Amino acid sequence: DLLQRGTSLLKGARRLARAGDYGEADTSFAAAADVLQEAVNGADAALVAIVESAGPRGGDNPDAQELWSSWERVRTAACGNCGNSLLERGKIKVELLQELLRNPPGADATDSERTKQDTASARLAEDAQQMLVESGRYYRRCLVPDNGAKSLVGADAARALLKWGDALQFRASVASNAPLGDEDSLSARLESQGELALASAEKYEAALNAEPDDAKVY
């Protein structure tokens, strides 16, 4: 079962991350995302087959309706956990980026050493943004399915919105750590950071509205 295997990999990767083994954790999160993407693709194919054979959401066929509901749950869980895997990978990249920036080359560093650190920082920032953007897309697919599946509501919607907000918040953090350039690039960086922070706040507010009585949202 792809969903079960992907979820197991995700849990194992989280344990590695908590232990500070970021290299192994990143590899495991990547493996989890790959397996969960396969689960999403499989669920999408199954849902399309049901529509083709019985009509939208299984039509009037009770067996097809039950099968649709089953695959719908698989797709939602796989999408959400794939987003979680990518979010965790992005968080690792952000942590490594911040660690690099906290330890800049010393005054006696060579130009080669400075260039090496600048290159590593730029690569981490690019990787982090890519992971975080992709994670947000998966949370959006949970909230706004494109295959006739039901949109999430209540606590399920709140959780997806919170995670999407987290991804945007970490993207804002990456933007704030972008290399300084001329005045125009600084202005663009601050604008990007502000837009991402605002988008994150909007997702958190939407989560509150989706499940106002859930203490975990506060």
Side-chain angles (χ1 to χ4, degrees):
D1 180 90
L2 291 172
L3 175 58
Q4 185 176 3
R5 183 153 63 93
T7 303
S8 179
L9 285 168
L10 173 57
K11 290 178 179 178
R14 282 175 167 156
R15 287 193 293 270
L16 290 168
R18 285 194 296 269
D21 192 347
Y22 291 143
E24 287 297 324
D26 185 56
T27 299
S28 294
F29 282 129
D34 287 343
V35 173
L36 290 163
Q37 175 60 69
E38 288 186 55
V40 173
N41 293 341
D44 279 341
L47 292 171
V48 168
I50 293 170
V51 171
E52 291 176 347
S53 63
R57 304 191 62 80
D60 298 326
N61 185 322
D63 291 336
Q65 292 171 2
E66 183 177 352
L67 191 59
W68 174 279
S69 295
S70 177
W71 278 111
E72 187 177 51
R73 288 191 295 271
V74 169
R75 182 189 187 277
T76 298
C79 264
N81 281 319
C82 194
N84 292 341
S85 299
L86 291 163
L87 174 59
E88 294 295 340
R89 288 197 75 194
K91 288 164 63 175
I92 287 175
K93 305 297 183 184
V94 172
E95 175 60 32
L96 294 175
L97 173 62
Q98 292 175 342
E99 180 66 23
L100 268 183
L101 296 176
R102 285 193 294 266
N103 297 281
D108 59 345
T110 65
D111 288 344
S112 176
E113 290 171 333
R114 296 180 188 280
T115 299
K116 184 178 180 180
Q117 173 137 347
D118 289 344
T119 300
S121 297
R123 177 62 182 271
L124 283 169
E126 181 180 354
D127 287 349
Q129 286 285 14
Q130 180 182 348
M131 304 300 172
L132 296 167
V133 168
E134 284 297 315
S135 71
R137 288 173 178 164
Y138 276 98
Y139 296 131
R140 187 181 188 281
R141 289 177 71 179
C142 288
L143 291 158
V144 188
D146 54 6
N147 59 359
K150 291 187 297 185
S151 298
L152 295 181
V153 296
D156 290 335
R159 280 192 290 270
L161 287 162
L162 284 173
K163 292 289 189 178
W164 194 355
D166 288 346
L168 288 162
Q169 188 176 60
F170 278 105
R171 287 180 62 194
S173 175
V174 174
S176 71
N177 288 316
L180 289 174
D182 56 26
E183 185 175 342
D184 288 340
S185 67
L186 174 59
S187 175
R189 187 190 78 169
L190 293 174
E191 182 179 358
S192 175
Q193 181 185 358
E195 290 174 349
L196 289 166
L198 178 59
S200 175
E202 289 173 346
K203 297 297 180 290
Y204 291 145
E205 183 177 3
L208 287 172
N209 292 332
E211 189 65 11
D213 297 326
D214 189 346
K216 293 181 180 180
V217 176
Y218 294 89

